C-alpha cells in the first residue's frame, strides 16, 4: 500500500474531507475557548484541602 492509496480520489471527497477537518478543528477550538472562558480557578480548592488532610493523616 502506498500513501496515494489512502488519499481521496475525487474532488467531491477532497472537499468533504476538507470540510470535515475544518469542522472538527473549529469544534476543538470552540471547546478549548469555552473551557478557558468559563473555568473557575477556585474549583479545586476543596480537593486540595481534602488532599492535605489525607496527607497529614497518612504521614
Amino acid at each position: 500500500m502506498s500513501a496515494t492509496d489512502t488519499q481521496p480520489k475525487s474532488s467531491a471527497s477532497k472537499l468533504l474531507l476538507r470540510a470535515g477537518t475544518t469542522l472538527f478543528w473549529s469544534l476543538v477550538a470552540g471547546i478549548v475557548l469555552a473551557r478557558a472562558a468559563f473555568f473557575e480557578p477556585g474549583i479545586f480548592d476543596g480537593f486540595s484541602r481534602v488532599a492535605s488532610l489525607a496527607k497529614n493523616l497518612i504521614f
Side-chain angles (χ1 to χ4, degrees):
M1 246 182 129
S2 68
T4 57
D5 292 340
T6 60
Q7 297 298 321
K9 306 255 186 274
S10 70
S11 62
S13 57
K14 287 180 184 178
L15 180 63
L16 191 59
L17 177 66
R18 183 170 298 274
T21 304
T22 303
L23 177 65
F24 173 77
W25 286 113
S26 298
L27 288 172
V28 168
I31 290 169
V32 169
L33 289 174
R35 289 282 298 152
F38 295 109
F39 180 72
E40 296 180 25
I43 200 162
F44 294 112
D45 288 347
F47 176 75
S48 358
R49 279 181 278 169
V50 171
S52 67
L53 178 64
K55 180 181 170 189
N56 289 336
L57 290 174
I58 293 171
F59 296 110

